[in-house]
């Protein structure tokens, strides 16, 4: 009985040490790697975790060691899928063979069996990370303990049988503790991404808000050879009248539709920002002033031809400006485009004006 508690205490200590894996897992979640590489990266992470726990294992007999390698392999399958489980399994097997001893064969078999059981478990139960599912996963991978039958009979009866309850509890608690902490990191990261998206996106139109311009300005410092770009500033004509006459719901439809018209006309490399209530800013990368003016005119014409509910029609005025080597700042060009926009308004609205020095 005392021996079982000793095994359990030692394994819980390893769980605490292995929890450092969480820091690396957070880095993977916050990286910009394609999804194709997320699984292998998680596999490498859990394989390193398995190797770390195998460096200083609990020795219960000559060449017979126990650790939480199967927990790492099981969690690799749950959090990273097939490739993660495969990588963790291969590395853990390699480390176990390198360590050597009388338990090499059953140790290797237990790792492979744990990986297969974990993958089958995820296939059947899904990738839920709640405590109940984690506990079931811990119980499932404990079936890998059957590999001890490959050991001599007297060892199985006198040593392994006594340690079996503690080893099962080790697997369950290890999977629950590490799995729950990793799941918490996932939830935090998901909330972080959601809040970040809400902070950077306009809820009505789905376009970027003015924060995107701050990011763009930081990415375009005063360089020796700055990349030239154009800015189009749009302002819906008499939009307050639309809201007052037909209601804000109609105004929202107009804003959403105008955002759609702009998005369909520009390239994927360009940026559309809802600059204010009815103001929109378009950043055209590597564009000539004449091309930017033509795009603005096309967008103006499309909106003017749009027929909203109850025969409502809306027009838009636009101002266009281009950056220069002397004026590489986004905000400077926006200011120039804004001057051209007000010129368009003074000249009767529903038109495009180009900023000239």
């Amino acid at each position: 009985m005392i021996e079982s508690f000793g095994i359990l205490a030692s394994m819980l200590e390893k769980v605490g040490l292995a929890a450092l894996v969480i820091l690396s897992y957070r880095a993977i979640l916050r990286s910009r790697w394609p999804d194709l590489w997320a699984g292998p990266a998680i596999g490498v992470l859990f394989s390193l975790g398995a190797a770390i726990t195998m460096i200083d294992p609990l020795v219960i007999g000559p060449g017979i060691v126990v650790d939480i390698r199967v927990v790492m392999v099981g969690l690799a399958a749950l959090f990273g899928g097939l490739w993660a489980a495969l990588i963790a399994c291969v590395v853990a097997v390699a480390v176990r063979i390198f360590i050597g001893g009388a338990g090499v064969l059953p140790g290797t078999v237990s790792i492979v069996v744990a990986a297969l059981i974990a993958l089958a478990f995820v296939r059947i139960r899904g990738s839920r990370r709640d405590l109940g599912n984690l506990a079931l996963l811990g119980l499932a991978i404990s079936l890998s303990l059957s590999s001890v039958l490959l050991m001599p009979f007297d060892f199985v009866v006198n040593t392994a049988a006594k340690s079996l309850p503690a080893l099962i509890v080790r697997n369950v608690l290890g999977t629950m503790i590490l799995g729950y902490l990793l799941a918490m990191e996932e939830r935090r990261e998901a909330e972080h991404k959601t809040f970040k998206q809400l902070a950077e996106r306009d809820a009505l139109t789905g376009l970027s808000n003015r924060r995107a311009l701050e990011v763009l300005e930081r990415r375009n410092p005063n360089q020796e050879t700055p990349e030239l770009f154009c800015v189009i500033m749009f302002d819906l004509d008499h939009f307050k009248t639309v809201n007052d006459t037909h209601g804000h719901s109609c105004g929202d439809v107009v804003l959403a539709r105008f955002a759609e018209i702009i998005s369909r006309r520009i390239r994927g490399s360009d940026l559309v920002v809802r600059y204010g209530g009815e103001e929109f800013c378009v950043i055209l990368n590597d564009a000539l002033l004449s091309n930017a003016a033509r795009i603005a005119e096309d967008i103006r014409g499309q909106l003017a031809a749009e027929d909203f509910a109850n025969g409502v029609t809306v027009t838009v005025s636009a101002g266009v400006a281009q950056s220069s080597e002397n004026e590489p700042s986004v905000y400077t060009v926006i200011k120039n485009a804004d001057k051209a926009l007000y010129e368009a308004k003074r000249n009767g609205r529903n038109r495009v004006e180009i900023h000239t020095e």
Side-chain angles (χ1 to χ4, degrees):
M1 187 68 176
I2 295 176
E3 179 183 359
S4 295
F5 278 116
I7 294 174
L8 181 58
S10 178
M11 290 304 102
L12 288 177
E13 180 184 355
K14 303 303 180 187
V15 170
L17 294 175
L20 294 175
V21 171
I22 296 169
L23 298 176
S24 300
Y25 185 65
R26 179 189 299 174
I28 293 175
L29 292 178
R30 293 192 175 184
S31 69
R32 296 185 178 181
W33 294 352
D35 293 339
L36 178 64
W37 299 107
I42 292 173
V44 171
L45 170 62
F46 281 105
S47 65
L48 291 176
I52 291 172
T53 64
M54 295 166 70
I55 290 175
D56 184 25
L58 176 65
V59 180
I60 61 175
I64 312 300
V65 298
V66 293
D67 46 56
I68 60 169
R69 76 193 87 162
V70 295
V71 172
M72 290 294 181
V73 172
L75 291 176
L78 180 64
F79 285 88
L82 175 61
W83 282 108
L86 180 61
I87 293 172
C89 178
V90 170
V91 173
V93 166
V95 173
R96 185 62 190 91
I97 293 174
F98 177 78
I99 291 174
V104 169
L105 179 58
T108 300
V109 171
S110 69
I111 294 171
V112 175
V113 171
L116 294 175
I117 290 175
L119 286 172
F121 182 89
V122 173
R123 178 79 175 179
I124 296 171
R125 296 277 302 178
S127 298
R128 290 185 291 122
R129 273 81 154 168
D130 58 276
L131 285 175
N133 212 51
L134 290 169
L136 289 175
L137 176 60
L139 285 173
I141 61 177
S142 294
L143 294 174
S144 63
L145 295 172
S146 60
S147 63
V148 76
L149 296 175
L150 298 173
M151 297 296 293
F153 180 76
D154 58 341
F155 173 81
V156 174
V157 174
N158 298 324
T159 304
K162 297 178 182 179
S163 306
L164 187 62
L167 296 178
I168 294 176
V169 173
R170 170 208 69 180
N171 288 341
V172 174
L173 289 181
T175 304
M176 290 176 66
I177 293 172
L178 272 178
Y180 186 72
L181 292 175
L182 292 169
M184 286 179 62
E185 287 300 320
E186 278 192 339
R187 287 193 292 271
R188 287 196 190 100
E189 184 60 22
E191 291 174 356
H192 172 75
K193 289 182 178 179
T194 300
F195 291 146
K196 183 178 179 181
Q197 185 177 25
L198 290 175
E200 295 178 351
R201 291 282 173 180
D202 174 61
L204 175 63
T205 63
L207 300 177
S208 300
N209 60 27
R210 296 175 70 161
R211 289 177 181 267
L213 296 175
E214 298 175 6
V215 175
L216 187 63
E217 180 74 1
R218 290 196 297 269
R219 291 179 181 176
N220 291 280
N222 294 330
Q223 305 173 6
E224 293 183 1
T225 56
E227 180 181 334
L228 299 182
F229 59 91
C230 288
V231 171
I232 307 174
M233 290 295 295
F234 290 103
D235 192 330
L236 296 174
D237 298 328
H238 305 296
F239 187 69
K240 185 178 184 300
T241 303
V242 175
N243 281 330
D244 293 343
T245 304
H246 304 283
H248 287 277
S249 59
C250 179
D252 290 346
V253 171
V254 172
L255 290 170
R257 177 56 182 155
F258 185 53
E260 183 180 355
I261 291 173
I262 298 176
S263 299
R264 288 185 175 183
R265 182 60 182 84
I266 65 172
R267 303 164 298 182
S269 60
D270 300 325
L271 176 66
V272 189
V273 172
R274 186 177 178 188
Y275 198 74
E278 63 269 19
E279 284 188 299
F280 294 79
C281 176
V282 180
I283 311 294
L284 301 174
N285 295 309
D286 193 22
L288 297 175
L289 189 60
S290 56
N291 290 338
R294 186 177 69 252
I295 292 172
E297 180 60 32
D298 290 345
I299 294 172
R300 185 207 61 77
Q302 288 185 52
L303 180 65
E306 193 78 19
D307 187 10
F308 296 96
N310 300 322
V312 176
T313 58
V314 181
T315 60
V316 66
S317 301
V320 185
Q322 186 178 38
S323 66
S324 65
E325 294 183 0
N326 297 326
E327 294 180 345
S329 170
V330 172
Y331 290 110
T332 300
V333 185
I334 288 176
K335 183 178 180 180
N336 291 337
D338 210 36
K339 292 178 181 178
L341 169 61
Y342 280 99
E343 187 68 21
K345 290 182 177 181
R346 283 194 294 268
N347 291 335
R349 302 179 187 269
N350 191 24
R351 59 188 292 119
V352 175
E353 293 286 351
I354 298 175
H355 174 265
T356 57
E357 293 297 341

